[in-house]
Amino acid sequence: ACASFREASIDEPWTDPKTGATVVRKRQRIQKNVQAVRSFWLDLDVGPNEEGKAQRYPDQSSAINGVVAFLNETGLPVPMFVSSGGGIHCYWPLVDAVQPAQWTACALLLKSLTQAHKLIVDPTRTADSASVLRPVGTHNRKYSSPRPVVLLRDAPAVSFGDFYAQVVAACKGAKAEA
């Protein structure tokens, strides 16, 4: 996971949409169990666009070019680039871990900024502190022949305060809001 969690699992009520019965389920990776987060991320999908599905970049080069244009427009620092074995993941590692509320406030602004600049990202990942993205050194097994997850470009850690200020400034310039 991209965050650390308070408990190995927590009990959470869940209502079955078919029967209406409520049961308690053990959940691990949910936002209310997040203890701290130490990076921001983007998930860019690639491949053919299919009707009824979210838009995606045709290939990894196009996705990276989209991020580079986004960085040039916003002035945000260059992130770490990872080939997920399918798409591209971008990470801005943080010097120190931040609390979920601080992280979420900044992540929602980052998400809004990607939308304002029409960067094609998976919007559910950008502001989900409980996200799980494929780690470098593993394999993406969604394909008949598993593909390695590899680091394409490393990036230095940034302070949360500096990154947050840059995101806020970029949002003002783009008239983007969370």
Side-chain angles (χ1 to χ4, degrees):
C2 295
S4 61
F5 295 92
R6 289 184 185 90
E7 304 291 334
S9 66
I10 60 173
D11 292 337
E12 183 178 64
W14 175 77
T15 303
D16 185 323
K18 294 179 182 174
T19 66
T22 299
V23 296
V24 174
R25 298 189 311 178
K26 293 256 184 231
R27 303 290 307 271
Q28 296 85 26
R29 295 182 315 262
I30 58 174
Q31 290 190 51
K32 69 181 177 183
N33 193 27
V34 169
Q35 179 173 330
V37 191
R38 199 161 175 171
S39 69
F40 289 92
W41 52 82
L42 301 175
D43 180 9
L44 295 90
D45 294 325
V46 304
N49 283 310
E50 300 172 26
E51 191 171 326
K53 292 205 173 185
Q55 189 178 5
R56 42 181 64 213
Y57 287 97
D59 52 45
Q60 287 188 343
S61 288
S62 299
I64 290 169
N65 290 339
V67 173
V68 170
F70 172 75
L71 298 173
N72 288 335
E73 293 165 359
T74 61
L76 293 182
V78 177
M80 177 186 301
F81 284 90
V82 173
S83 168
S84 70
I88 295 290
H89 295 162
C90 297
Y91 297 91
W92 287 274
L94 299 172
V95 172
D96 295 306
V98 296
Q99 296 300 304
Q102 291 176 295
W103 184 89
T104 299
C106 186
L108 288 170
L109 289 173
L110 179 60
K111 178 179 174 178
S112 179
L113 194 57
T114 63
Q115 293 167 339
H117 286 274
K118 302 193 181 345
L119 181 65
I120 304 168
V121 299
D122 179 342
T124 61
R125 293 289 145 247
T126 306
D128 179 5
S129 60
S131 282
V132 176
L133 299 175
R134 289 179 184 84
V136 171
T138 63
H139 287 81
N140 183 334
R141 300 192 183 282
K142 287 190 343 186
Y143 303 92
S144 58
S145 178
R147 300 176 183 176
V149 179
V150 296
L151 177 66
L152 300 176
R153 183 192 187 283
D154 205 355
V158 297
S159 79
F160 172 77
D162 289 347
F163 187 75
Y164 182 74
Q166 290 172 310
V167 170
V168 168
C171 282
K172 287 179 182 172
K175 295 185 174 75
E177 295 179 24

